[in-house]
Amino acid sequence: MSVRIVALGNEKAGFEDSLQQPDLITTYFGRHAVIRHIEERRLLSFPTNITFPAFAEYHAYVFGRVQVLIHDCPNWDLFDNDWYRSRNVVGLADIIVLKYSVNDKTSFQEVKDNYVPMIKRILNQWTVPVIVTAVGTRQNEEGPPCSCPLCTSDKGSCVPFYEGIELSKEIGAAYLELHSLNDFYVGKYFGGVLEYFIIQCLKQKSSQKKKRSSRPHIIPPPTLREPVKLPCLKIEESRYHCDLLNLYYSSLCTDVVFSSKDGQEVSRAHRVVLCNASHVFMSLFGVEIASDPSELPKKIAHTLFTIDQRDTALNSSQALLHNIQPVRVIILDSLLCACYSEVLKFIYTGSNCWDELKSVLWKKLENLEQVKNVMEILKLFFKCNAKTFCPSNFSNQGAKSKEQSQSYCCSLSLFFQNPGLADVIFIVQASIPQAMALLICAEMYQIHRLQQICESHIATQLQTMPSRELVSTNLSIVNLYNKAKFHNATRLSTWLLHFIASNYLIFSQKLEFQELSEEEQAFVENHRWPSSSYLQELTEYRHHIHSGRSRCILM
């Protein structure tokens, strides 16, 4: 016989060294005399080999050979990220322990606002003993009351006694306050209540077991197997940055030629990429900057670049943006000119790994002062943080954290939601027919990743539809299947065929089912759920139950 305990909440919140603090569950099950053995398995480190990733799982034995299985979840975000499986764990509990720190209102509010409403729904279906445990000594309880601002702020951060009482009354729970996680409070106070509930749970299970053993033999109903898992429609990783870099290397459709002051060509580029990357290039090519009306970008542009005199007749924004011949731009700064191809590669990748760019410039220039000068110029391009842009010690650049590098401006971030240079507007609606229409366009233009995104969206929307909506909907799943097959969406067409088979009792009654070919109908019949053999066994079972030779004892 075994007992399941589910512990929810964080009783270690509010401590500066919360990672070093003991927790209620391991303190009780690790020290108390009734425990014969405890085994801890941390399930959060290996999510592919676990059953419930939101919980830490413990096994213990009490009262000799009674096994206790404990699931402990200290964080609501972990619980909510795996909502359905986590809720199932709570539904299987014999005893529920809610815990919070009296010196941290956030932990109390997490219990009150998140865990309690869920537990109240469970208690509406069956009775489960609940223990509300408040851990810690309130910081404002020692000595006479004080009215200084510091103490007032302490009072605001503590959970009053009456709030814990009201919470426990709301769900009919036992309320305990443990001022310390020592042997007295944990072993005798908390342990006494918990052991009482364990004993009551064992008595109830023993009584139910005797009742089941005293019943006459009943033929069990047929077992309905789980439906076949639908194929997974994965979306490949974006190749956006890689494709842009390849566009730079190939020099296809370039409309800008950068050259040195002596006329030698340095590199080629695309104005639309450059203008999205920096306001300096927008000013250089005469594009209006609605978000930055200052004159600074124009001054920087004329300091570093100039358009070849042969292109002065094309010095308007419309002419520059629609000119067929590439515009020749002269780089006035010789140091920037020497490493300009590396700067363009950095712009095209949309990377914000500035340390990597500095390493490339160091290999190119081999001079620390020159590298710093180039980085100062680029700082003007992308408006980066002046304090962290160029570290004083260049040799220690690798020690900077990843988070600090990611705080810099991404040169391609201006591509998104930028109406100034955009020529395509997407109207987003979570509609299945429109997703199919977009999929057809993606297949027409061979945009494979967009096609995969549409496939995944359609599958997700259909999976979330309840059965009653599938029965009444005017959306033809067979029509979707035929369109997917016609437009080479093989993954989606296969998924839809499995979806029809998994909801056989719904779709087999619709006229559209007859539009499937004989081969497709045979596939659906072979993979249908529930299977025809199960329905036949169910019919025979019902006939046996209601026949004269056998009567259902419940009826």
Side-chain angles (χ1 to χ4, degrees):
M1 204 173 295
S2 62
V3 176
R4 288 177 175 266
I5 299 175
V6 173
L8 305 171
N10 184 10
E11 75 280 22
K12 299 194 293 183
F15 292 98
E16 294 181 358
D17 54 347
S18 58
L19 296 177
Q20 306 292 334
Q21 294 293 326
D23 59 85
L24 176 63
I25 297 300
T26 55
T27 300
Y28 171 72
F29 284 97
R31 295 181 183 177
H32 203 247
V34 300
I35 311 302
R36 194 185 71 182
H37 171 68
I38 182 168
E39 173 190 358
E40 176 184 1
R41 293 189 294 171
R42 290 291 180 184
L43 300 181
L44 299 177
S45 301
F46 306 99
T48 56
N49 301 321
I50 64 176
T51 308
F52 309 110
F55 292 85
E57 183 178 298
Y58 306 90
H59 290 261
Y61 290 87
V62 300
F63 307 125
R65 298 182 60 84
V66 177
Q67 185 183 27
V68 178
L69 178 61
I70 309 105
H71 288 99
D72 187 7
C73 178
N75 187 289
W76 170 256
D77 291 335
L78 292 175
F79 189 99
D80 192 42
N81 286 339
D82 195 19
W83 167 254
Y84 292 103
R85 288 193 294 180
S86 300
R87 185 176 177 274
N88 290 337
V89 173
V90 179
L92 295 174
D94 297 312
I95 301 171
I96 297 176
V97 178
L98 297 177
K99 46 196 174 71
Y100 63 88
S101 171
V102 297
N103 292 310
D104 187 75
K105 269 202 171 180
T106 303
S107 64
F108 174 78
Q109 289 298 135
E110 188 172 88
V111 170
K112 181 179 180 180
D113 298 338
N114 298 324
Y115 291 118
V116 168
M118 173 195 62
I119 292 174
K120 288 173 69 174
R121 289 194 293 270
I122 292 176
L123 294 178
N124 287 334
Q125 302 174 16
W126 60 85
T127 302
V128 179
V130 181
I131 305 174
V132 176
T133 308
V135 178
T137 302
R138 293 179 182 84
Q139 297 175 2
N140 59 334
E141 283 189 346
E142 297 181 2
C146 180
S147 59
C148 68
L150 180 61
C151 293
T152 303
S153 62
D154 284 342
K155 291 178 183 178
S157 65
C158 295
V159 182
F161 174 79
Y162 67 89
E163 288 193 19
I165 291 291
E166 290 176 357
L167 179 66
S168 60
K169 287 182 179 179
E170 183 179 350
I171 55 177
Y175 178 74
L176 304 177
E177 281 209 355
L178 309 180
H179 297 299
S180 174
L181 296 181
N182 56 26
D183 289 338
F184 172 75
Y185 282 106
V186 176
K188 295 183 179 180
Y189 192 25
F190 172 77
V193 177
L194 182 63
E195 290 163 21
Y196 170 78
F197 285 133
I198 292 176
I199 293 172
Q200 295 302 314
C201 179
L202 293 174
K203 289 181 178 179
Q204 183 180 4
K205 289 189 175 185
S206 177
S207 175
Q208 292 175 350
K209 186 176 180 181
K210 290 179 180 179
K211 289 181 180 179
R212 286 195 300 267
S213 62
S214 62
R215 292 177 182 175
H217 177 66
I218 301 176
I219 298 176
T223 302
L224 178 62
R225 62 176 178 83
E226 292 291 327
V228 177
K229 189 175 182 180
L230 295 175
C232 180
L233 301 182
K234 295 183 178 180
I235 302 174
E236 66 182 22
E237 293 185 2
S238 173
R239 293 176 50 85
Y240 181 68
H241 294 170
C242 181
D243 291 341
L244 269 181
L245 189 59
N246 290 336
L247 180 65
Y248 167 74
Y249 284 130
S250 65
S251 297
L252 291 174
C253 305
T254 55
D255 51 7
V256 180
V257 177
F258 289 97
S259 61
S260 60
K261 288 187 287 188
D262 58 3
Q264 184 176 359
E265 181 176 320
V266 175
S267 185
R268 290 174 174 260
H270 305 79
R271 270 171 286 185
V272 66
V273 177
L274 299 176
C275 289
N276 275 285
S278 173
H279 290 174
V280 174
F281 290 115
M282 294 178 71
S283 298
L284 178 65
F285 297 121
V287 181
E288 183 179 354
I289 308 173
S291 61
D292 189 2
S294 67
E295 294 293 323
L296 181 60
K298 185 180 295 185
K299 292 180 181 178
I300 298 172
H302 292 305
T303 302
L304 298 176
F305 306 102
T306 184
I307 296 179
D308 197 320
Q309 294 299 321
R310 289 170 291 183
D311 295 325
T312 52
L314 304 172
N315 201 20
S316 68
S317 61
Q318 294 296 323
L320 284 173
L321 288 175
H322 300 286
N323 182 27
I324 299 176
Q325 296 297 327
V327 176
R328 183 172 295 273
V329 177
I330 300 174
I331 306 173
L332 301 178
D333 188 281
S334 58
L335 193 58
L336 179 63
C337 182
C339 56
Y340 198 69
S341 59
E342 283 73 18
V343 173
L344 286 179
K345 292 176 188 176
F346 174 75
I347 292 176
Y348 272 76
T349 55
S351 173
N352 47 4
C353 297
W354 295 87
D355 290 338
E356 183 177 346
L357 175 62
K358 283 184 281 187
S359 299
V360 173
L361 295 179
W362 173 259
K363 293 179 182 178
K364 182 76 174 180
L365 302 175
E366 297 184 351
N367 185 292
L368 178 60
E369 290 300 323
Q370 292 181 352
V371 171
K372 286 185 177 181
N373 290 337
V374 173
M375 297 301 287
E376 287 294 332
I377 294 174
L378 295 181
K379 180 177 62 176
L380 299 176
F381 272 63
F382 304 111
K383 298 183 180 179
C384 291
N385 189 323
K387 294 183 179 179
T388 58
F389 190 84
C390 291
S392 58
N393 187 356
F394 183 77
S395 61
N396 292 332
Q397 60 179 347
K400 295 182 66 178
S401 65
K402 183 178 180 181
E403 290 78 12
Q404 189 177 6
S405 297
Q406 289 179 345
S407 67
Y408 296 136
C409 171
C410 178
S411 58
L412 291 182
S413 62
L414 295 176
F415 269 125
F416 183 64
Q417 301 276 16
N418 184 0
L421 296 170
D423 53 5
V424 176
I425 297 176
F426 289 97
I427 301 176
V428 180
Q429 298 180 0
S431 167
I432 293 179
Q434 291 192 344
M436 177 57 73
L438 184 59
L439 183 147
I440 294 173
C441 293
E443 190 269 337
M444 182 187 303
Y445 293 102
Q446 294 296 295
I447 309 176
H448 299 295
R449 188 168 184 271
L450 178 58
Q451 181 176 343
Q452 293 174 359
I453 293 173
C454 294
E455 291 175 347
S456 177
H457 175 80
I458 292 172
T460 302
Q461 291 295 311
L462 289 175
Q463 277 188 303
T464 56
M465 291 176 65
S467 298
R468 61 180 180 277
E469 189 174 346
L470 289 175
V471 173
S472 60
T473 183
N474 294 325
L475 180 67
S476 173
I477 306 300
V478 175
N479 185 33
L480 282 178
Y481 166 76
N482 290 330
K483 285 184 178 180
K485 187 171 65 171
F486 181 79
H487 292 283
N488 302 314
T490 307
R491 300 189 320 157
L492 179 60
S493 61
T494 303
W495 187 93
L496 287 171
L497 212 55
H498 277 280
F499 183 72
I500 293 172
S502 299
N503 297 274
Y504 180 84
L505 296 180
I506 296 176
F507 294 113
S508 61
Q509 304 300 319
K510 296 191 175 187
L511 293 177
E512 64 188 65
F513 186 77
Q514 304 303 322
E515 299 176 13
L516 295 174
S517 65
E518 293 183 0
E519 182 181 354
E520 292 164 348
Q521 289 189 22
F523 176 89
V524 172
E525 289 288 344
N526 290 334
H527 296 81
R528 58 176 284 184
W529 187 88
S531 64
S532 55
S533 59
Y534 169 79
L535 294 179
Q536 183 179 355
E537 292 175 2
L538 183 62
T539 302
E540 294 175 354
Y541 171 77
R542 287 175 175 171
H543 177 73
H544 174 78
I545 290 297
H546 297 290
S547 65
R549 297 188 303 272
S550 176
R551 295 287 183 182
C552 177
I553 62 172
L554 298 178
M555 301 298 293

